[in-house]
mmCIF file of all heavy atoms in Angstrom:
data_model
loop_
_atom_site.group_PDB
_atom_site.id
_atom_site.type_symbol
_atom_site.label_atom_id
_atom_site.label_comp_id
_atom_site.label_asym_id
_atom_site.label_seq_id
_atom_site.Cartn_x
_atom_site.Cartn_y
_atom_site.Cartn_z
ATOM 1 N N ASN A 973 33.181 21.990 -14.561
ATOM 2 C CA ASN A 973 34.402 22.556 -15.148
ATOM 3 C C ASN A 973 34.291 24.045 -15.415
ATOM 4 O O ASN A 973 35.251 24.656 -15.927
ATOM 5 C CB ASN A 973 34.730 21.824 -16.449
ATOM 6 C CG ASN A 973 36.174 21.967 -16.840
ATOM 7 O OD1 ASN A 973 37.058 21.983 -15.979
ATOM 8 N ND2 ASN A 973 36.441 22.102 -18.138
ATOM 9 N N ILE A 974 33.163 24.669 -15.097
ATOM 10 C CA ILE A 974 33.026 26.111 -15.311
ATOM 11 C C ILE A 974 34.019 26.887 -14.448
ATOM 12 O O ILE A 974 34.448 27.995 -14.803
ATOM 13 C CB ILE A 974 31.571 26.533 -15.031
ATOM 14 C CG1 ILE A 974 30.700 26.162 -16.230
ATOM 15 C CG2 ILE A 974 31.454 28.025 -14.751
ATOM 16 C CD1 ILE A 974 29.241 26.491 -16.058
ATOM 17 N N GLN A 975 34.429 26.300 -13.342
ATOM 18 C CA GLN A 975 35.363 26.984 -12.440
ATOM 19 C C GLN A 975 36.820 26.663 -12.785
ATOM 20 O O GLN A 975 37.694 26.668 -11.918
ATOM 21 C CB GLN A 975 35.067 26.590 -11.002
ATOM 22 C CG GLN A 975 33.686 27.010 -10.527
ATOM 23 C CD GLN A 975 33.443 26.716 -9.061
ATOM 24 O OE1 GLN A 975 34.340 26.292 -8.351
ATOM 25 N NE2 GLN A 975 32.214 26.941 -8.612
ATOM 26 N N ILE A 976 37.095 26.406 -14.071
ATOM 27 C CA ILE A 976 38.480 26.178 -14.488
ATOM 28 C C ILE A 976 39.333 27.432 -14.303
ATOM 29 O O ILE A 976 40.578 27.376 -14.280
ATOM 30 C CB ILE A 976 38.511 25.703 -15.958
ATOM 31 C CG1 ILE A 976 39.895 25.157 -16.309
ATOM 32 C CG2 ILE A 976 38.092 26.817 -16.889
ATOM 33 C CD1 ILE A 976 39.973 24.547 -17.695
ATOM 34 N N SER A 977 38.672 28.569 -14.123
ATOM 35 C CA SER A 977 39.412 29.819 -13.881
ATOM 36 C C SER A 977 40.118 29.816 -12.536
ATOM 37 O O SER A 977 40.874 30.760 -12.237
ATOM 38 C CB SER A 977 38.461 31.018 -13.948
ATOM 39 O OG SER A 977 37.806 31.064 -15.202
ATOM 40 N N ARG A 978 39.915 28.798 -11.700
ATOM 41 C CA ARG A 978 40.682 28.692 -10.457
ATOM 42 C C ARG A 978 42.180 28.591 -10.729
ATOM 43 O O ARG A 978 43.004 28.810 -9.843
ATOM 44 C CB ARG A 978 40.238 27.459 -9.672
ATOM 45 C CG ARG A 978 38.814 27.510 -9.135
ATOM 46 C CD ARG A 978 38.599 26.343 -8.199
ATOM 47 N NE ARG A 978 37.218 26.196 -7.760
ATOM 48 C CZ ARG A 978 36.843 25.368 -6.799
ATOM 49 N NH1 ARG A 978 37.743 24.608 -6.196
ATOM 50 N NH2 ARG A 978 35.573 25.283 -6.451
ATOM 51 N N LEU A 979 42.536 28.237 -11.958
ATOM 52 C CA LEU A 979 43.962 28.182 -12.312
ATOM 53 C C LEU A 979 44.646 29.527 -12.104
ATOM 54 O O LEU A 979 45.871 29.592 -11.920
ATOM 55 C CB LEU A 979 44.114 27.739 -13.776
ATOM 56 C CG LEU A 979 43.733 26.285 -14.113
ATOM 57 C CD1 LEU A 979 43.749 26.087 -15.624
ATOM 58 C CD2 LEU A 979 44.677 25.310 -13.440
ATOM 59 N N CYS A 980 43.853 30.597 -12.130
ATOM 60 C CA CYS A 980 44.435 31.934 -12.007
ATOM 61 C C CYS A 980 44.895 32.242 -10.593
ATOM 62 O O CYS A 980 45.404 33.353 -10.348
ATOM 63 C CB CYS A 980 43.425 32.979 -12.460
ATOM 64 S SG CYS A 980 42.969 32.831 -14.208
ATOM 65 N N ASP A 981 44.765 31.312 -9.656
ATOM 66 C CA ASP A 981 45.323 31.524 -8.318
ATOM 67 C C ASP A 981 46.832 31.617 -8.343
ATOM 68 O O ASP A 981 47.455 32.083 -7.358
ATOM 69 C CB ASP A 981 44.893 30.388 -7.383
ATOM 70 C CG ASP A 981 43.475 30.574 -6.868
ATOM 71 O OD1 ASP A 981 42.913 31.669 -7.072
ATOM 72 O OD2 ASP A 981 42.927 29.623 -6.280
ATOM 73 N N ILE A 982 47.446 31.205 -9.447
ATOM 74 C CA ILE A 982 48.920 31.271 -9.524
ATOM 75 C C ILE A 982 49.409 32.706 -9.687
ATOM 76 O O ILE A 982 50.625 32.937 -9.776
ATOM 77 C CB ILE A 982 49.447 30.409 -10.684
ATOM 78 C CG1 ILE A 982 48.969 30.939 -12.031
ATOM 79 C CG2 ILE A 982 49.048 28.959 -10.505
ATOM 80 C CD1 ILE A 982 49.614 30.272 -13.216
ATOM 81 N N ARG A 983 48.501 33.677 -9.755
ATOM 82 C CA ARG A 983 48.940 35.069 -9.780
ATOM 83 C C ARG A 983 49.708 35.419 -8.512
ATOM 84 O O ARG A 983 50.486 36.371 -8.494
ATOM 85 C CB ARG A 983 47.749 36.003 -9.980
ATOM 86 C CG ARG A 983 46.739 35.999 -8.862
ATOM 87 C CD ARG A 983 45.491 36.759 -9.266
ATOM 88 N NE ARG A 983 44.493 36.758 -8.195
ATOM 89 C CZ ARG A 983 44.407 37.689 -7.252
ATOM 90 N NH1 ARG A 983 45.270 38.688 -7.229
ATOM 91 N NH2 ARG A 983 43.469 37.625 -6.330
ATOM 92 N N ASP A 984 49.454 34.636 -7.434
ATOM 93 C CA ASP A 984 50.277 34.755 -6.241
ATOM 94 C C ASP A 984 51.534 33.915 -6.466
ATOM 95 O O ASP A 984 51.458 32.725 -6.772
ATOM 96 C CB ASP A 984 49.495 34.264 -5.026
ATOM 97 C CG ASP A 984 50.215 34.540 -3.720
ATOM 98 O OD1 ASP A 984 51.412 34.923 -3.773
ATOM 99 O OD2 ASP A 984 49.607 34.365 -2.656
ATOM 100 N N GLU A 985 52.679 34.524 -6.306
ATOM 101 C CA GLU A 985 53.939 33.853 -6.591
ATOM 102 C C GLU A 985 54.194 32.663 -5.676
ATOM 103 O O GLU A 985 54.972 31.769 -6.008
ATOM 104 C CB GLU A 985 55.099 34.844 -6.465
ATOM 105 C CG GLU A 985 55.065 35.979 -7.475
ATOM 106 C CD GLU A 985 55.274 35.481 -8.890
ATOM 107 O OE1 GLU A 985 55.863 34.383 -9.059
ATOM 108 O OE2 GLU A 985 54.852 36.171 -9.835
ATOM 109 N N ASN A 986 53.557 32.623 -4.529
ATOM 110 C CA ASN A 986 53.776 31.529 -3.569
ATOM 111 C C ASN A 986 52.815 30.356 -3.753
ATOM 112 O O ASN A 986 52.823 29.428 -2.940
ATOM 113 C CB ASN A 986 53.639 32.060 -2.144
ATOM 114 C CG ASN A 986 54.735 33.032 -1.786
ATOM 115 O OD1 ASN A 986 55.870 32.897 -2.250
ATOM 116 N ND2 ASN A 986 54.403 34.034 -0.978
ATOM 117 N N VAL A 987 51.980 30.401 -4.753
ATOM 118 C CA VAL A 987 50.917 29.407 -4.919
ATOM 119 C C VAL A 987 51.196 28.553 -6.154
ATOM 120 O O VAL A 987 51.473 29.091 -7.242
ATOM 121 C CB VAL A 987 49.532 30.080 -5.034
ATOM 122 C CG1 VAL A 987 48.451 29.041 -5.347
ATOM 123 C CG2 VAL A 987 49.195 30.821 -3.754
ATOM 124 N N ASP A 988 51.151 27.250 -5.942
ATOM 125 C CA ASP A 988 51.110 26.278 -7.037
ATOM 126 C C ASP A 988 49.717 25.644 -7.042
ATOM 127 O O ASP A 988 49.146 25.374 -5.984
ATOM 128 C CB ASP A 988 52.160 25.189 -6.854
ATOM 129 C CG ASP A 988 53.572 25.726 -6.984
ATOM 130 O OD1 ASP A 988 53.729 26.838 -7.534
ATOM 131 O OD2 ASP A 988 54.514 25.051 -6.518
ATOM 132 N N VAL A 989 49.202 25.404 -8.240
ATOM 133 C CA VAL A 989 47.819 24.923 -8.385
ATOM 134 C C VAL A 989 47.837 23.549 -9.038
ATOM 135 O O VAL A 989 48.490 23.343 -10.075
ATOM 136 C CB VAL A 989 46.963 25.901 -9.217
ATOM 137 C CG1 VAL A 989 45.591 25.313 -9.494
ATOM 138 C CG2 VAL A 989 46.833 27.235 -8.486
#
Side-chain angles (χ1 to χ4, degrees):
N973 201 36
I974 282 178
Q975 297 185 6
I976 193 175
S977 302
R978 293 189 187 190
L979 291 172
C980 297
D981 280 349
I982 64 171
R983 65 190 180 91
D984 188 349
E985 296 294 337
N986 293 327
V987 174
D988 293 343
V989 173

